[in-house]
Amino acid sequence: MKSLFLAVTLLVASFGVSQAQESAKVPAPHIYNPQADAQQDIKNAVSKANKEGKHVLLQLGGNWCVWCIRFNNLTTTDTTLNRLLKQNYEVVHVNYSPENKNEATLAQLGYPQRFGFPVFVVLDGKGNRIHTQNSAYLEEGKGHSPKLVAEFLQQWSPTATDPKSYVSKK
């Protein structure tokens, strides 16, 4: 009986080791590029956003940040969120990691890392910072709330921040 128990235990343990080895082969997500020139990427996004009547959404974080990866997965797989992003924003993933903390860029943005990661900065089509969003306010339960994220994206869209949207038409 002891030998049967030992055999089953070894089989289960070897399966677990095999699974761990397989998962170790899966490459880590590479959403943020530590080698990217954040200043140039933002400049390019602002130029494109200005031409297209959009804002720029800076997603600051790193490939090491599980919440950053989860947010990106949510906004790229949820059709409503993906549509809101594509209609209203040019998105730039700004890296923050030991390899590149983008300190000059973060200083120009008012030190948004004080809120933790991910953190979001909205720029208008001229490159002016109009909002910094602590991602904790977009969470519900054990993740980011699609409803709260949608509200955030709508509330800082070009239409929502355009004064002409609020002028009554008589």
Side-chain angles (χ1 to χ4, degrees):
M1 185 68 157
K2 285 183 182 180
S3 58
L4 178 62
F5 176 73
L6 181 60
V8 170
T9 302
L10 288 174
L11 180 64
V12 170
S14 68
F15 179 74
V17 168
S18 171
Q19 291 297 97
Q21 289 172 342
E22 285 299 313
S23 65
K25 293 177 187 174
V26 175
H30 190 75
I31 297 165
Y32 296 87
N33 181 359
Q35 288 76 42
D37 181 344
Q39 294 284 338
Q40 189 60 50
D41 290 348
I42 293 168
K43 184 178 176 183
N44 293 343
V46 166
S47 176
K48 188 173 181 190
N50 191 39
K51 289 175 188 166
E52 297 178 6
K54 296 181 179 182
H55 284 165
V56 175
L57 178 66
L58 305 178
Q59 294 183 27
L60 292 90
N63 295 318
W64 53 268
C65 169
V66 68
W67 286 100
C68 301
I69 304 303
R70 288 178 183 166
F71 183 86
N72 186 74
N73 290 343
L74 174 66
T75 59
T76 56
T77 59
D78 182 292
T79 55
T80 299
L81 298 178
N82 194 275
R83 178 183 48 78
L84 287 169
L85 278 173
K86 287 181 178 181
Q87 284 178 347
N88 298 297
Y89 300 92
E90 287 300 316
V91 178
V92 179
H93 291 87
V94 178
N95 182 74
Y96 180 90
S97 68
E99 300 88 8
N100 185 358
K101 293 182 179 179
N102 279 305
E103 292 173 310
T105 300
L106 296 179
Q108 290 174 353
L109 296 170
Y111 304 99
Q113 69 269 37
R114 70 187 181 273
F115 297 115
F117 296 98
V119 62
F120 312 102
V121 177
V122 180
L123 307 176
D124 67 14
K126 298 200 185 314
N128 300 310
R129 179 172 55 99
I130 58 173
H131 183 65
T132 300
Q133 180 68 45
N134 179 337
S135 68
Y137 295 115
L138 304 177
E139 295 174 12
E140 189 172 74
K142 296 185 180 204
H144 293 102
S145 161
K147 179 181 180 258
L148 295 175
V149 172
E151 288 174 3
F152 159 64
L153 294 174
Q154 290 167 334
Q155 290 168 353
W156 292 99
S157 70
T159 301
T161 59
D162 183 355
K164 294 175 191 166
S165 298
Y166 302 97
V167 175
S168 60
K169 298 172 186 169
K170 293 182 181 183

